[in-house]
Amino acid sequence: MLLSIPFLAALVASVSASNVLDLTSDNFDSVIGKGKPGLVEFFAPWCGHCKNLAPIYEQLADAFVGAKDKVVIAKVDADADKALGKKYGITGFPTLKWFDAEGNHEPYESERDLDSLAAFITQKSKVKSNIKPPPPPATTILDVYNFDEVALDTSKNVLVSFTVGSFFTISTAIDVFVTGSLCIVANVDGDDKKNSPLTQKYDVSGFPTIKFFGKDTKEPVAYEAGRTEADFVAFLNEKCGTHRAVGGGLTDQAGRLPEFDTLATKFFTAGAEARDSIFKEASVLAASAGAASKHYLRVMEKVVNSSEAYVQKESSRLAKILEKRSLSPSKLDEIKIKANILTAFAEQKVEEVKEKIARSEAEL
């Protein structure tokens, strides 16, 4: 079947239609600085990074298509229009610049994913995109009414992210700490007018701004580390005295007590008579050492009443439970601590085996 030329033209137009405005030296000044702010990409057709950014930039323009009268999303082929590129000091591709309503410009130097670009435009223009926010994570939402009750509570450590709308900067760390009571990860919508007293009080001049409110002092500390999950988890572990692991759960050091670790290795390598003395020493120490110490005593009792094989068998049983992850997060934490403490009893044996192997290999 033959297709008419008008039909083909319409088809091509529908496929190639773009909400990104093409600017050149001929129309740039008639658009930019004429009352509407905008983001402009200076690109070159041959640039690999530009090609990677192109589909994201199209999505960005689509996200603000309903606000074309309020904000501009545009691009300039600065390889073809060298004069325009030179005018704005373009030396590499792609270069993104933000122009305010009067035409004053500044470089965009943040991430180039869709969410980061959209959040930047919203922050600068106060125009919201049509991007549907992700489901809210399991975080504590704070506002001007409940902020002091939570963030200034002297029994809590609180990491607060002041963001635009529901753009949760620290969402990667939330699930990791949601089961712990020593750290609270919270969010304040800094774009909400009712929260302006908070943004003013805590010197929030841009988004996201992240501050830590420690339980020992309620003078906030600015968070200036990286933005990966590992960065947030490391920071909170240090500040809160926790042992949360990246991805959820606890690290191998959670629940371990150095003094009891020493007694555990001595106990596991000692004879029956010496073990009785070590157990009594551990019992006295446990009276003031907290709940975790009780499990060290329980393992000692099991070894005395059954055999050393208990450590290996129980370790294997707990490892299988942790691998399935079918229990509640709090129960998994409890089991992980028990597994960690069992490790303290076996570590000395493992080291002895390694030493024997090393000696054997050296004698060959």
Side-chain angles (χ1 to χ4, degrees):
M1 183 179 74
L2 296 176
L3 299 176
S4 66
I5 291 177
F7 177 83
L8 287 173
L11 180 61
V12 171
S14 65
V15 171
S16 61
S18 171
N19 288 309
V20 178
L21 184 61
D22 286 301
L23 297 179
T24 66
S25 293
D26 294 333
N27 64 351
F28 192 94
D29 291 338
S30 65
V31 175
I32 301 300
K34 297 299 181 181
K36 283 191 295 185
L39 185 67
V40 180
E41 176 201 5
F42 294 84
F43 74 100
W46 46 261
C47 164
H49 291 301
C50 300
K51 292 176 182 178
N52 292 335
L53 179 61
I56 297 173
Y57 207 66
E58 289 290 341
Q59 292 174 38
L60 182 67
D62 293 342
F64 289 91
V65 68
K68 286 186 174 180
D69 59 330
K70 298 177 182 176
V71 65
V72 175
I73 312 295
K75 63 182 179 180
V76 171
D77 182 348
D79 187 50
D81 200 331
K82 289 182 171 58
L84 194 54
K86 183 178 179 180
K87 179 179 179 181
Y88 290 103
I90 306 304
T91 57
F93 304 113
T95 294
L96 294 167
K97 286 184 177 289
W98 174 259
F99 292 81
D100 65 18
E102 286 72 45
N104 302 308
H105 58 89
E106 62 180 274
Y108 173 82
E109 297 176 331
S110 189
E111 300 299 321
R112 292 175 180 173
D113 59 276
L114 179 60
D115 288 338
S116 297
L117 288 163
F120 173 82
I121 291 174
T122 296
Q123 176 192 337
K124 288 291 188 179
S125 67
K126 306 304 179 186
V127 176
K128 294 184 178 181
S129 71
N130 61 19
I131 299 173
K132 292 183 179 180
T139 186
T140 301
I141 303 300
L142 301 181
D143 57 26
V144 70
Y145 303 112
N146 66 352
F147 187 90
D148 290 357
E149 179 184 347
V150 177
L152 303 186
D153 186 336
T154 54
S155 68
K156 297 183 176 73
N157 293 298
V158 188
L159 184 66
V160 181
S161 178
F162 294 85
T163 62
V164 176
S166 54
F167 178 68
F168 291 93
T169 304
I170 47 182
S171 61
T172 54
I174 291 167
D175 291 338
V176 174
F177 282 87
V178 71
T179 58
S181 59
L182 296 178
C183 269
I184 293 176
V185 180
N187 187 84
V188 172
D189 183 355
D191 197 38
D192 191 329
K193 288 184 179 179
K194 75 171 180 288
N195 293 327
S196 58
L198 293 176
T199 57
Q200 292 173 14
K201 180 178 180 180
Y202 295 109
D203 298 321
V204 178
S205 56
F207 302 111
T209 293
I210 307 172
K211 293 180 180 286
F212 178 76
F213 295 77
K215 65 179 182 180
D216 296 326
T217 172
K218 286 305 175 178
E219 284 297 319
V221 175
Y223 176 86
E224 297 176 338
R227 299 295 173 89
T228 67
E229 179 181 352
D231 292 325
F232 285 121
V233 171
F235 176 86
L236 288 171
N237 278 335
E238 178 186 352
K239 294 293 186 181
C240 303
T242 50
H243 294 280
R244 308 306 305 182
V246 174
L250 295 171
T251 68
D252 293 339
Q253 293 304 310
R256 298 281 290 269
L257 303 172
E259 289 181 286
F260 281 87
D261 281 353
T262 301
L263 290 175
T265 53
K266 287 171 60 178
F267 177 88
F268 205 60
T269 56
E273 188 174 332
R275 282 179 175 177
D276 184 58
S277 174
I278 295 169
F279 179 77
K280 289 178 180 178
E281 182 183 350
S283 298
V284 172
L285 190 61
S288 59
S293 65
K294 302 298 190 294
H295 194 62
Y296 283 90
L297 296 179
R298 184 172 182 275
V299 175
M300 290 180 183
E301 289 176 340
K302 287 287 186 179
V303 171
V304 169
N305 295 330
S306 55
S307 69
E308 292 181 3
Y310 166 79
V311 173
Q312 181 59 45
K313 290 180 180 178
E314 183 66 0
S315 294
S316 297
R317 186 183 73 86
L318 296 182
K320 291 177 182 178
I321 295 174
L322 291 170
E323 186 178 353
K324 291 180 180 178
R325 303 187 69 85
S326 57
L327 300 177
S328 67
S330 59
K331 190 64 177 178
L332 287 172
D333 283 357
E334 180 184 326
I335 292 173
K336 178 62 175 174
I337 288 173
K338 290 180 178 180
N340 288 348
I341 291 172
L342 281 167
T343 303
F345 286 85
E347 280 176 342
Q348 184 66 30
K349 288 290 186 182
V350 172
E351 290 303 316
E352 288 178 3
V353 171
K354 287 181 178 178
E355 287 178 9
K356 287 180 180 179
I357 293 173
R359 283 197 298 270
S360 298
E361 290 177 344
E363 291 171 358
L364 291 176

